[in-house]
Amino acid sequence: MALSEFLQELDALKSDASQRFEEASTQEGLESARVEFMGAKQGKLKATQKQMGTVDKADKPMAGKKLNEVKSAIDSAFEAAQSRLQAGAGGGADSAKGPRFDVTVPGATVQLGRLHPITQTIEELKDIMGRLGFSVVEGPEIEDVWHNFEALNISPEHPARDPLDNFYIGLAQATNNEPRLLRSQTSTVQIRVMEKTKPPIRIISLGRVYRPDEVDATHYPMFHQMEGLLIDQRVTMSDLKSVLRLFATSYLGGDVHIRFRPSFFPFTEPSVEADYYWDGRWVEFGGAGMVDPAVLTAVGYDPEQVTGFAFGLGIERLCMMRHNIRDIRHLFNNDTRFLSQF
Ligand code: DAH
Protein backbone atom coordinates (compact mmCIF):
# COMPACT_ATOMS: atom_id res chain seq x y z
CA MET A 1 0.00 0.00 0.00
CA ALA A 2 1.28 3.44 -0.87
CA LEU A 3 2.17 5.70 2.01
CA SER A 4 -0.22 8.45 0.93
CA GLU A 5 -3.09 6.02 0.80
CA PHE A 6 -2.27 4.74 4.26
CA LEU A 7 -2.10 8.27 5.67
CA GLN A 8 -5.42 9.13 4.09
CA GLU A 9 -6.99 6.08 5.61
CA LEU A 10 -5.71 7.04 9.05
CA ASP A 11 -7.11 10.57 8.69
CA ALA A 12 -10.50 9.23 7.67
CA LEU A 13 -10.44 6.84 10.61
CA LYS A 14 -9.62 9.64 13.02
CA SER A 15 -12.45 11.86 11.85
CA ASP A 16 -14.97 9.01 11.70
CA ALA A 17 -14.13 7.91 15.23
CA SER A 18 -14.23 11.45 16.68
CA GLN A 19 -17.57 12.09 15.03
CA ARG A 20 -19.11 8.90 16.36
CA PHE A 21 -17.82 9.57 19.87
CA GLU A 22 -19.16 13.09 19.81
CA GLU A 23 -22.54 11.94 18.65
CA ALA A 24 -22.91 9.26 21.31
CA SER A 25 -25.63 10.34 23.74
CA THR A 26 -25.59 7.29 26.00
CA GLN A 27 -22.96 5.18 27.66
CA GLU A 28 -24.12 2.22 25.57
CA GLY A 29 -23.82 4.17 22.32
CA LEU A 30 -20.35 5.31 23.25
CA GLU A 31 -19.30 1.81 24.22
CA SER A 32 -20.33 0.33 20.89
CA ALA A 33 -18.45 3.11 19.07
CA ARG A 34 -15.44 2.34 21.22
CA VAL A 35 -15.56 -1.36 20.26
CA GLU A 36 -16.03 -0.47 16.61
CA PHE A 37 -12.97 1.75 16.45
CA MET A 38 -10.74 0.77 19.33
CA GLY A 39 -11.71 -2.90 19.85
CA ALA A 40 -8.62 -5.02 20.49
CA LYS A 41 -9.56 -7.71 17.95
CA GLN A 42 -12.05 -6.43 15.40
CA GLY A 43 -11.53 -2.70 15.85
CA LYS A 44 -11.03 -0.54 12.77
CA LEU A 45 -7.88 0.96 14.23
CA LYS A 46 -6.48 -2.52 14.63
CA ALA A 47 -7.37 -3.37 11.05
CA THR A 48 -5.66 -0.26 9.74
CA GLN A 49 -2.65 -0.94 11.88
CA LYS A 50 -2.33 -4.35 10.23
CA GLN A 51 -2.15 -2.71 6.82
CA MET A 52 1.04 -1.00 7.85
CA GLY A 53 2.77 -4.25 6.97
CA THR A 54 2.05 -3.51 3.30
CA VAL A 55 3.69 -0.08 3.35
CA ASP A 56 7.17 0.26 1.87
CA LYS A 57 9.91 -0.31 4.38
CA ALA A 58 11.38 3.15 3.80
CA ASP A 59 8.03 4.74 4.53
CA LYS A 60 7.41 2.82 7.72
CA PRO A 61 8.83 5.37 10.21
CA MET A 62 6.55 8.02 8.76
CA ALA A 63 3.57 5.68 8.75
CA GLY A 64 4.27 4.58 12.34
CA LYS A 65 4.49 8.16 13.58
CA LYS A 66 1.18 9.03 11.97
CA LEU A 67 -0.42 5.90 13.35
CA ASN A 68 0.59 6.87 16.88
CA GLU A 69 -0.78 10.39 16.46
CA VAL A 70 -4.10 9.08 15.22
CA LYS A 71 -4.27 6.55 18.04
CA SER A 72 -3.83 9.14 20.74
CA ALA A 73 -6.24 11.53 19.01
CA ILE A 74 -8.87 8.78 19.02
CA ASP A 75 -8.10 8.03 22.67
CA SER A 76 -8.63 11.59 23.73
CA ALA A 77 -11.80 11.96 21.64
CA PHE A 78 -13.12 8.92 23.49
CA GLU A 79 -12.16 10.30 26.90
CA ALA A 80 -13.77 13.64 26.12
CA ALA A 81 -17.01 11.90 25.18
CA GLN A 82 -16.81 9.79 28.32
CA SER A 83 -16.51 12.74 30.67
CA ARG A 84 -19.18 14.65 28.77
CA LEU A 85 -21.60 11.81 29.41
CA GLN A 86 -20.57 11.47 33.04
CA ALA A 87 -21.11 15.16 33.70
CA GLY A 88 -24.62 14.75 32.47
CA ALA A 89 -24.17 17.21 29.62
CA GLY A 90 -24.99 14.50 27.13
CA GLY A 91 -28.39 14.01 28.70
CA GLY A 92 -30.33 14.04 25.47
CA ALA A 93 -33.87 12.78 25.18
CA ASP A 94 -32.72 9.19 25.20
CA SER A 95 -30.32 9.57 28.14
CA ALA A 96 -31.06 6.75 30.51
CA LYS A 97 -29.50 8.21 33.66
CA GLY A 98 -30.21 11.92 33.63
CA PRO A 99 -27.88 14.45 35.26
CA ARG A 100 -25.52 13.30 37.96
CA PHE A 101 -25.12 15.00 41.32
CA ASP A 102 -22.08 15.01 43.52
CA VAL A 103 -23.61 14.21 46.89
CA THR A 104 -20.37 15.03 48.69
CA VAL A 105 -20.40 18.76 47.78
CA PRO A 106 -21.24 20.71 50.99
CA GLY A 107 -24.71 22.23 50.81
CA ALA A 108 -25.40 25.96 50.93
CA THR A 109 -26.34 26.81 54.52
CA VAL A 110 -29.64 28.59 54.97
CA GLN A 111 -29.51 31.42 57.50
CA LEU A 112 -32.72 31.21 59.49
CA GLY A 113 -34.06 34.40 61.00
CA ARG A 114 -35.10 34.61 64.62
CA LEU A 115 -37.29 36.76 66.83
CA HIS A 116 -35.82 40.04 68.03
CA PRO A 117 -34.83 39.92 71.73
CA ILE A 118 -37.47 42.55 72.53
CA THR A 119 -40.12 40.47 70.77
CA GLN A 120 -38.95 37.43 72.71
CA THR A 121 -39.20 39.38 75.96
CA ILE A 122 -42.69 40.61 75.06
CA GLU A 123 -43.81 37.06 74.37
CA GLU A 124 -42.47 35.91 77.72
CA LEU A 125 -44.11 38.80 79.61
CA LYS A 126 -47.45 38.04 77.98
CA ASP A 127 -47.05 34.44 78.97
CA ILE A 128 -46.28 35.22 82.63
CA MET A 129 -49.05 37.80 82.97
CA GLY A 130 -51.44 35.49 81.16
CA ARG A 131 -50.92 32.93 83.90
CA LEU A 132 -51.82 35.65 86.44
CA GLY A 133 -55.10 36.18 84.59
CA PHE A 134 -54.24 39.30 82.56
CA SER A 135 -55.32 39.46 78.92
CA VAL A 136 -53.52 41.43 76.24
CA VAL A 137 -54.98 44.53 74.58
CA GLU A 138 -53.51 46.93 72.06
CA GLY A 139 -53.82 50.64 71.50
CA PRO A 140 -52.79 53.11 68.79
CA GLU A 141 -49.31 54.62 68.69
CA ILE A 142 -50.66 57.94 67.41
CA GLU A 143 -52.73 59.39 70.21
CA ASP A 144 -54.81 62.43 71.04
CA VAL A 145 -54.22 64.71 73.99
CA TRP A 146 -57.23 63.32 75.85
CA HIS A 147 -55.89 59.76 76.05
CA ASN A 148 -52.22 60.60 76.45
CA PHE A 149 -52.69 63.32 79.10
CA GLU A 150 -56.08 64.73 79.96
CA ALA A 151 -57.96 61.59 80.99
CA LEU A 152 -54.84 60.53 82.90
CA ASN A 153 -55.19 63.63 85.05
CA ILE A 154 -52.13 65.29 83.51
CA SER A 155 -53.11 68.96 83.50
CA PRO A 156 -52.16 71.42 80.69
CA GLU A 157 -49.40 73.04 82.77
CA HIS A 158 -47.77 69.72 83.65
CA PRO A 159 -44.19 69.57 82.31
CA ALA A 160 -44.87 66.11 80.76
CA ARG A 161 -47.01 67.91 78.15
CA ASP A 162 -44.17 70.22 77.05
CA PRO A 163 -43.88 70.16 73.25
CA LEU A 164 -40.13 69.67 73.66
CA ASP A 165 -40.71 66.45 75.58
CA ASN A 166 -43.11 64.92 73.09
CA PHE A 167 -43.39 64.09 69.41
CA TYR A 168 -46.40 66.20 68.51
CA ILE A 169 -47.57 65.72 64.96
CA GLY A 170 -47.92 68.88 62.85
CA LEU A 171 -51.33 70.53 63.19
CA ALA A 172 -51.71 70.27 59.41
CA GLN A 173 -52.26 66.56 59.84
CA ALA A 174 -54.61 66.95 62.80
CA THR A 175 -58.34 66.34 62.52
CA ASN A 176 -60.58 69.15 63.85
CA ASN A 177 -57.48 71.08 64.83
CA GLU A 178 -56.96 68.57 67.60
CA PRO A 179 -53.27 67.99 68.13
CA ARG A 180 -51.97 64.45 68.04
CA LEU A 181 -48.73 62.94 69.17
CA LEU A 182 -46.79 59.70 69.22
CA ARG A 183 -47.85 58.27 72.57
CA SER A 184 -45.30 58.91 75.31
CA GLN A 185 -46.63 56.12 77.54
CA THR A 186 -48.79 53.02 77.29
CA SER A 187 -51.02 54.37 80.10
CA THR A 188 -53.16 55.67 77.20
CA VAL A 189 -54.46 52.13 76.77
CA GLN A 190 -55.86 52.11 80.33
CA ILE A 191 -58.20 54.92 79.30
CA ARG A 192 -59.18 53.31 76.01
CA VAL A 193 -60.06 50.04 77.74
CA MET A 194 -62.01 51.62 80.61
CA GLU A 195 -63.99 53.82 78.20
CA LYS A 196 -65.22 50.73 76.41
CA THR A 197 -65.47 48.11 79.16
CA LYS A 198 -67.23 47.78 82.49
CA PRO A 199 -65.26 46.50 85.48
CA PRO A 200 -63.86 44.07 86.43
CA ILE A 201 -60.80 44.64 84.23
CA ARG A 202 -57.53 42.79 84.21
CA ILE A 203 -55.40 43.70 81.20
CA ILE A 204 -51.87 44.32 80.06
CA SER A 205 -50.75 46.26 77.01
CA LEU A 206 -47.27 46.04 75.54
CA GLY A 207 -45.96 48.31 72.85
CA ARG A 208 -43.84 51.17 71.62
CA VAL A 209 -43.71 54.62 73.17
CA TYR A 210 -41.85 57.69 71.95
CA ARG A 211 -39.97 60.51 73.66
CA PRO A 212 -37.44 62.94 72.17
CA ASP A 213 -34.61 61.83 74.45
CA GLU A 214 -30.94 62.22 73.64
CA VAL A 215 -29.64 58.79 72.62
CA ASP A 216 -27.18 57.18 75.04
CA ALA A 217 -26.56 53.78 76.62
CA THR A 218 -29.90 53.84 78.47
CA HIS A 219 -32.06 56.18 76.36
CA TYR A 220 -33.58 55.84 72.95
CA PRO A 221 -36.36 57.97 71.40
CA MET A 222 -38.48 54.84 70.95
CA PHE A 223 -38.80 52.10 73.53
CA HIS A 224 -41.34 49.62 74.84
CA GLN A 225 -43.51 49.53 77.92
CA MET A 226 -45.77 47.02 79.53
CA GLU A 227 -48.80 48.59 81.10
CA GLY A 228 -50.99 46.72 83.56
CA LEU A 229 -54.43 47.60 84.85
CA LEU A 230 -56.67 45.80 87.31
CA ILE A 231 -60.03 47.22 88.35
CA ASP A 232 -62.48 45.50 90.65
CA GLN A 233 -64.17 45.89 93.99
CA ARG A 234 -61.92 46.23 97.04
CA VAL A 235 -58.60 46.07 95.21
CA THR A 236 -55.76 47.18 97.46
CA MET A 237 -52.11 48.08 97.36
CA SER A 238 -51.19 44.62 98.67
CA ASP A 239 -52.77 43.09 95.55
CA LEU A 240 -50.49 45.30 93.48
CA LYS A 241 -47.47 44.20 95.45
CA SER A 242 -48.37 40.51 95.11
CA VAL A 243 -48.84 40.77 91.36
CA LEU A 244 -45.54 42.61 90.83
CA ARG A 245 -43.72 40.17 93.09
CA LEU A 246 -45.15 37.14 91.32
CA PHE A 247 -44.26 38.71 88.03
CA ALA A 248 -40.66 39.45 89.09
CA THR A 249 -40.26 35.97 90.54
CA SER A 250 -41.43 34.36 87.31
CA TYR A 251 -39.38 36.56 85.02
CA LEU A 252 -36.14 36.61 87.00
CA GLY A 253 -36.44 33.23 88.65
CA GLY A 254 -35.92 32.49 92.33
CA ASP A 255 -37.30 34.34 95.31
CA VAL A 256 -37.08 37.98 94.22
CA HIS A 257 -37.60 40.75 96.76
CA ILE A 258 -39.43 43.84 95.73
CA ARG A 259 -39.84 47.19 97.46
CA PHE A 260 -42.03 50.24 96.96
CA ARG A 261 -40.72 53.80 97.21
CA PRO A 262 -43.19 56.70 97.46
CA SER A 263 -43.47 58.60 94.21
CA PHE A 264 -45.85 60.73 92.21
CA PHE A 265 -47.85 60.14 89.05
CA PRO A 266 -50.90 62.26 88.20
CA PHE A 267 -52.98 59.17 87.41
CA THR A 268 -52.31 57.17 90.60
CA GLU A 269 -52.79 57.95 94.28
CA PRO A 270 -50.82 56.75 96.12
CA SER A 271 -48.02 56.32 93.61
CA VAL A 272 -44.87 54.24 93.97
CA GLU A 273 -41.68 53.35 92.22
CA ALA A 274 -41.18 49.60 92.39
CA ASP A 275 -37.67 48.13 92.71
CA TYR A 276 -36.58 44.54 92.73
CA TYR A 277 -33.49 43.06 94.27
CA TRP A 278 -31.33 41.53 91.57
CA ASP A 279 -27.72 40.45 91.49
CA GLY A 280 -26.94 42.05 94.86
CA ARG A 281 -28.58 45.43 94.27
CA TRP A 282 -31.91 47.19 94.02
CA VAL A 283 -32.97 47.82 90.45
CA GLU A 284 -35.70 50.18 89.35
CA PHE A 285 -38.55 48.28 87.82
CA GLY A 286 -41.22 50.83 86.94
CA GLY A 287 -43.99 53.05 88.22
CA ALA A 288 -47.21 51.89 89.81
CA GLY A 289 -50.01 52.89 92.12
CA MET A 290 -53.70 52.87 92.87
CA VAL A 291 -55.71 54.38 90.04
CA ASP A 292 -56.59 57.98 90.93
CA PRO A 293 -60.34 58.58 91.52
CA ALA A 294 -60.10 61.45 89.00
CA VAL A 295 -59.14 58.93 86.31
CA LEU A 296 -61.97 56.57 87.26
CA THR A 297 -64.37 59.48 87.02
CA ALA A 298 -62.98 60.60 83.65
CA VAL A 299 -63.92 57.25 82.13
CA GLY A 300 -67.35 57.16 83.78
CA TYR A 301 -66.65 54.79 86.67
CA ASP A 302 -67.83 55.40 90.22
CA PRO A 303 -64.75 55.62 92.49
CA GLU A 304 -67.00 54.71 95.42
CA GLN A 305 -67.79 51.36 93.78
CA VAL A 306 -64.53 50.24 92.22
CA THR A 307 -60.84 50.61 92.86
CA GLY A 308 -57.82 49.35 91.03
CA PHE A 309 -54.12 49.46 90.48
CA ALA A 310 -51.95 50.20 87.47
CA PHE A 311 -48.30 49.79 86.65
CA GLY A 312 -45.95 50.62 83.80
CA LEU A 313 -42.62 48.87 83.21
CA GLY A 314 -39.83 49.43 80.69
CA ILE A 315 -39.41 46.33 78.54
CA GLU A 316 -35.90 47.19 77.30
CA ARG A 317 -34.63 47.33 80.86
CA LEU A 318 -36.07 43.89 81.65
CA CYS A 319 -34.56 42.44 78.50
CA MET A 320 -31.17 44.09 79.12
CA MET A 321 -31.03 42.87 82.74
CA ARG A 322 -31.79 39.32 81.75
CA HIS A 323 -29.21 39.19 78.96
CA ASN A 324 -26.62 41.47 80.49
CA ILE A 325 -26.85 43.96 77.62
CA ARG A 326 -25.07 47.17 78.60
CA ASP A 327 -26.19 49.50 75.83
CA ILE A 328 -29.76 49.95 74.58
CA ARG A 329 -28.45 50.92 71.14
CA HIS A 330 -27.43 47.31 70.49
CA LEU A 331 -31.11 46.45 70.41
CA PHE A 332 -31.85 48.80 67.53
CA ASN A 333 -28.70 48.81 65.39
CA ASN A 334 -29.90 45.66 63.66
CA ASP A 335 -26.47 44.13 63.53
CA THR A 336 -27.08 40.44 62.93
CA ARG A 337 -23.86 39.53 64.77
CA PHE A 338 -25.59 40.85 67.89
CA LEU A 339 -29.13 39.73 67.15
CA SER A 340 -28.21 36.19 66.17
CA GLN A 341 -27.07 35.51 69.75
CA PHE A 342 -30.62 35.43 71.10
N1 DAH B 1 -46.72 55.94 82.48
C1 DAH B 1 -45.61 56.03 83.39
C2 DAH B 1 -44.37 56.39 82.62
O1 DAH B 1 -44.35 56.33 81.45
C3 DAH B 1 -45.36 54.71 84.09
C4 DAH B 1 -46.49 54.38 85.01
C5 DAH B 1 -46.45 54.79 86.33
C6 DAH B 1 -47.56 53.66 84.58
C7 DAH B 1 -47.47 54.50 87.22
C8 DAH B 1 -48.59 53.33 85.44
C9 DAH B 1 -48.52 53.76 86.77
O2 DAH B 1 -49.65 52.63 85.08
O3 DAH B 1 -49.53 53.45 87.62
O4 DAH B 1 -43.37 56.73 83.21
Side-chain angles (χ1 to χ4, degrees), residues 64-82:
K65 184 168 172 261
K66 179 78 176 176
L67 178 71
N68 284 335
E69 277 171 20
V70 169
K71 252 191 193 168
S72 69
I74 289 178
D75 276 350
S76 22
F78 173 76
E79 275 161 27
Q82 181 96 333

Side-chain angles (χ1 to χ4, degrees), residues 152-218:
L152 286 163
N153 203 28
I154 304 174
S155 56
E157 61 280 1
H158 195 284
R161 287 173 70 153
D162 192 324
L164 292 176
D165 288 332
N166 291 283
F167 286 112
Y168 281 96
I169 292 172
L171 267 185
Q173 281 101 319
T175 17
N176 308 329
N177 255 2
E178 231 227 276
R180 291 181 178 256
L181 72 164
L182 299 181
R183 67 178 179 193
S184 62
Q185 50 183 350
T186 45
S187 304
T188 52
V189 187
Q190 292 183 32
I191 304 301
R192 291 193 169 269
V193 170
M194 289 191 285
E195 280 172 340
K196 280 193 300 205
T197 334
K198 293 212 174 328
I201 286 173
R202 195 187 274 234
I203 57 101
I204 49 168
S205 188
L206 305 93
R208 298 186 186 96
V209 299
Y210 301 85
R211 293 177 196 176
D213 287 334
E214 197 79 46
V215 174
D216 63 24
T218 54

Side-chain angles (χ1 to χ4, degrees), residues 152 154 184-188 190 209 211 223 225-229 240 264-273 286-291 309-313:
L152 286 163
I154 304 174
S184 62
Q185 50 183 350
T186 45
S187 304
T188 52
Q190 292 183 32
V209 299
R211 293 177 196 176
F223 58 100
Q225 287 185 327
M226 172 168 78
E227 192 80 15
L229 175 71
L240 169 62
F264 175 79
F265 298 102
F267 36 90
T268 43
E269 179 58 37
S271 304
V272 298
E273 292 281 350
M290 302 306 291
V291 180
F309 65 72
F311 59 85
L313 315 176

